[in-house]
């Protein structure tokens, strides 16, 4: 479905209805899939998954809370101080438990609504829900005689310490005839392959996030004028996100002039002058799912000849990436396609010397293009999943329907003495979010204009 209604001058103006949020049974089905994998792999086991702790911004001021992505993927539960406990035996019998905060009307007056155990059980489809304080007492009963304990390792130091202490207690109790888990496994190794494939609900949420983000980039192009500061453009992006119930998925890059050549620039304090390029890398997060779009455009005028040359080169590299994306293709094929187009373009524009084969072999083009062409996208901006497969990573991951990734070639030319002056401080990146389908690809962010004609028309409004 199209998420935006096209109106003024053919550019998106109005946002569509938000998709339905998955219900508790949807998350329960994911948990069952995980547990069946645990049974097949280890003959049964206990999964313990904590959510993220609160983080202080300064003194007694907290950062806005977001649940840990793996925890949220399995539960949909949005609150802090919670732990999932999932178990299965060799016969396939499963239990879905949650430990969470109790209802507390006094604290809810200060901090807001809490589900509490009873509402959490009904809403998120758990067999039983206990107060978080009961976890320590129930730990031995849950873990004893399980073939394996599966939990995230190295994620939170306090959690690692708690697991180590509790396993020590279990081993001390082994004389009573009970057996502690024989191994501790990082559960994310089983969850990563699951998260790489987005279901219909996830795709709907990501499409919506892409739609909101596309509208934010259109807003920014219309708003940006000489004399504005980068942070004022950032404010327009944030406005669009918040107006649609979303928030920034990451610190936005709003980079002008020489800042366009800084890949992770987030200071966003510079004042913008006529004729300078503005590179915006910004995406919203909607119901915990991220979008990731980059657009680059001139402020106050049309592209200069040199700016247009580099822009068209990056756009051609992105089209080559799209051509390389299809089911069965190695993940890195689209990156290789981007490198070939960009390297040849740099030779043609006399930014580098020699043949295409020599440029690719020596990597001389990497002076102006130093990053990969994309990454997985989902609950995290750089989402779960491996880019190579095999016991030793000897083979690339092959693309399959349901995978979502970004496609973001770029070219970044600093004002160095050996570079023609016309190309100084031209940094251009064009990024879209792509779903692999059985027939090819679906560009989720296609509503964000990017042709030279579209971009110049928007900037002139």
């Amino acid at each position: 479905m199209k998420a935006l209604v096209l109106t003024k001058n053919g550019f998106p103006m109005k946002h569509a209805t938000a998709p339905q949020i998955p219900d508790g049974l949807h998350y329960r089905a994911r948990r069952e899939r995980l547990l069946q994998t645990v049974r097949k792999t280890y003959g049964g086991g206990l999964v313990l998954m904590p959510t993220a702790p609160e983080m202080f911004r300064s003194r007694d001021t907290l950062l806005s809370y977001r649940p840990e992505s793996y925890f949220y993927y399995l539960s949909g539960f949005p609150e802090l101080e919670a732990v999932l406990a999932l178990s299965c035996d060799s016969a396939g019998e499963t239990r879905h438990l949650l430990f969470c905060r109790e209802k507390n009307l006094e604290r809810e007056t200060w901090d807001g609504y809490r589900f509490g155990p009873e509402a959490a059980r009904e809403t998120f489809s758990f067999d039983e829900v206990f107060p978080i304080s009961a976890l320590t007492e129930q730990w031995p009963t849950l873990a004893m005689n399980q073939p394996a304990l599966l939990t995230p390792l190295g994620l939170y130091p306090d959690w690692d310490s708690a697991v180590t202490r509790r396993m020590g207690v279990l081993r001390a109790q082994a004389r009573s005839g009970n057996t502690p888990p024989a191994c501790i496994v990082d559960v994310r190794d089983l969850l990563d392959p699951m998260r790489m494939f987005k279901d219909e609900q996830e795709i709907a949420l990501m499409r919506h996030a892409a739609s909101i983000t596309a509208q934010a980039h259109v807003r920014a192009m219309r708003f940006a004028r000489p004399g504005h500061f980068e942070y004022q453009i950032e404010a327009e992006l944030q406005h669009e996100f918040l107006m649609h119930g979303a928030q920034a998925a990451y610190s936005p890059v709003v980079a002008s002039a020489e800042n366009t050549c800084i890949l992770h620039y987030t200071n966003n304090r510079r004042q913008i002058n006529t004729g300078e390029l503005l590179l915006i890398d910004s995406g919203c997060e909607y119901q915990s799912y991220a979008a990731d779009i980059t657009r680059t455009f001139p402020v106050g005028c049309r592209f200069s000849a040199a700016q247009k040359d580099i822009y068209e080169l990056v756009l051609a590299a992105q089209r080559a990436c799209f051509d390389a994306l299809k089911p069965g293709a190695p993940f890195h094929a689209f990156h290789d396609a981007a490198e070939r187009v960009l390297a040849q373009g740099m030779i043609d524009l006399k930014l580098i010397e020699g043949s295409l084969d020599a440029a690719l072999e020596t990597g001389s083009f990497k002076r102006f293009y130093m990053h990969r062409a994309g990454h997985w996208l989902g609950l995290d901006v750089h989402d779960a999943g491996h880019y190579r497969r095999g016991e030793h990573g000897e083979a690339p991951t092959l693309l399959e329907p349901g995978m979502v990734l970004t496609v973001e070639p770029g070219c970044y030319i600093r004002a160095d003495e050996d570079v023609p002056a016309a190309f100084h401080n031209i940094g251009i990146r064009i990024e879209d979010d792509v779903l692999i389908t059985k027939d090819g690809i679906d560009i989720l962010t296609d509503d964000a204009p990017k042709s030279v004609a579209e971009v110049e028309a928007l900037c002139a409004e």
Side-chain angles (χ1 to χ4, degrees):
M1 67 175 182
K2 274 289 182 183
L4 292 172
V5 178
L6 303 184
T7 55
K8 184 178 179 182
N9 296 333
F11 295 116
M13 293 290 292
K14 185 178 179 182
H15 201 269
T17 303
Q20 183 179 358
I21 299 171
D23 61 22
L25 291 175
H26 190 81
Y27 294 104
R28 186 181 181 92
R30 287 182 187 163
R31 299 194 295 265
E32 282 290 341
R33 285 175 54 206
L34 172 63
L35 288 173
Q36 293 310 315
T37 302
V38 169
R39 182 181 66 83
K40 292 176 183 177
T41 307
Y42 300 101
L46 172 68
V47 175
L48 288 177
M49 173 68 69
T51 193
E54 281 189 302
M55 301 293 290
F56 282 93
R57 183 184 185 276
S58 61
R59 196 166 180 176
D60 59 352
T61 302
L62 294 162
L63 292 170
S64 178
Y65 185 74
R66 182 187 187 279
E68 199 280 325
S69 293
Y70 288 95
F71 174 90
Y72 188 81
Y73 178 76
L74 292 172
S75 69
F77 190 70
E79 295 181 9
L80 57 117
E81 293 185 65
V83 174
L84 278 173
L86 312 173
S87 66
C88 66
D89 60 24
S90 58
E93 291 294 322
T94 64
R95 293 180 71 197
H96 298 234
L97 309 180
L98 177 70
F99 294 83
C100 70
R101 299 179 302 178
E102 295 187 81
K103 292 291 289 182
N104 185 322
L105 296 181
E106 181 180 356
R107 288 313 312 169
E108 288 182 50
T109 299
W110 291 88
D111 304 325
Y113 175 78
R114 295 184 181 187
F115 278 95
E118 184 177 348
R121 180 179 58 79
E122 295 178 358
T123 304
F124 300 99
S125 192
F126 284 97
D127 298 323
E128 297 177 87
V129 178
F130 301 96
I132 188 65
S133 59
L135 178 61
T136 300
E137 179 184 351
Q138 294 205 28
W139 165 279
T141 303
L142 293 171
M144 276 299 193
N145 303 313
Q146 291 284 5
L149 171 63
L150 299 98
T151 192
L153 300 173
L155 182 61
Y156 303 120
D158 289 348
W159 178 255
D160 288 349
S161 297
V163 169
T164 300
R165 289 195 308 271
R166 289 167 178 168
M167 284 297 292
V169 171
L170 293 181
R171 291 192 176 99
Q173 296 175 354
R175 295 177 183 175
S176 64
N178 291 314
T179 304
C183 61
I184 303 177
V185 179
D186 196 326
V187 68
R188 292 172 295 181
D189 290 338
L190 299 185
L191 285 169
D192 282 352
M194 291 175 59
R195 284 183 56 183
M196 286 176 68
F197 295 89
K198 274 55 181 183
D199 59 37
E200 291 183 5
Q201 290 272 14
E202 291 178 293
I203 292 169
L205 293 171
M206 294 187 71
R207 196 182 297 278
H208 197 64
S211 173
I212 296 170
T213 303
Q215 177 67 16
H217 278 263
V218 169
R219 183 187 188 96
M221 288 183 195
R222 287 192 171 120
F223 176 81
R225 292 292 182 269
H228 282 154
F229 287 84
E230 293 164 342
Y231 57 77
Q232 292 177 291
I233 314 303
E234 179 182 352
E236 295 298 307
L237 298 166
Q238 297 281 17
H239 174 94
E240 198 67 28
F241 296 164
L242 292 170
M243 284 294 291
H244 296 295
Q247 61 187 9
Y250 53 95
S251 296
V253 175
V254 184
S256 59
E258 65 269 18
N259 295 334
T260 63
C261 298
I262 303 172
L263 299 184
H264 293 156
Y265 173 81
T266 56
N267 190 41
N268 300 349
R269 307 302 296 174
R270 185 181 178 280
Q271 191 172 29
I272 309 166
N273 300 312
T274 301
E276 294 176 339
L277 289 174
L278 186 64
L279 184 156
I280 299 176
D281 185 341
S282 180
C284 82
E285 178 180 284
Y286 182 79
Q287 295 297 328
S288 295
Y289 282 85
D292 189 359
I293 297 179
T294 306
R295 292 293 185 266
T296 312
F297 55 92
V299 177
C301 62
R302 302 167 73 86
F303 285 105
S304 71
Q307 289 171 347
K308 185 177 179 180
D309 283 342
I310 301 300
Y311 190 91
E312 292 281 21
L313 173 59
V314 175
L315 199 59
Q318 194 190 50
R319 287 194 294 267
C321 290
F322 292 154
D323 290 341
L325 293 173
K326 54 189 174 184
F331 178 87
H332 296 294
F334 78 105
H335 176 70
D336 295 340
E339 287 187 337
R340 295 188 67 85
V341 172
L342 290 168
Q344 184 61 60
M346 292 174 198
I347 293 169
D348 296 341
L349 294 171
K350 303 188 184 313
L351 292 170
I352 60 175
E353 298 178 344
S355 67
L356 175 59
D357 288 342
L360 294 173
E361 182 177 353
T362 64
S364 61
F365 67 93
K366 292 183 180 179
R367 176 183 176 185
F368 305 114
Y369 175 56
M370 60 293 294
H371 60 80
R372 306 293 289 177
H375 53 80
W376 302 126
L377 184 69
L379 277 171
D380 296 304
V381 178
H382 293 92
D383 205 37
H386 298 294
Y387 298 104
R388 304 193 70 82
R389 58 193 174 91
E391 185 176 353
H392 304 291
E394 63 273 12
T397 296
L398 301 181
L399 298 177
E400 298 182 54
M403 294 177 171
V404 180
L405 64 155
T406 67
V407 179
E408 49 180 311
C411 187
Y412 314 91
I413 309 172
R414 294 181 178 273
D416 295 331
E417 291 183 1
D418 60 340
V419 172
F423 291 105
H424 284 187
N425 296 325
I426 295 180
I428 290 173
R429 182 164 65 253
I430 304 171
E431 178 180 20
D432 283 287
D433 306 341
V434 175
L435 167 68
I436 305 298
T437 70
K438 63 181 180 63
D439 300 316
I441 62 173
D442 180 358
I443 304 173
L444 303 179
T445 50
D446 214 22
D447 285 319
K450 62 184 172 184
S451 73
V452 169
E454 288 175 326
V455 167
E456 290 184 339
L458 267 175
C459 294
E461 287 188 10

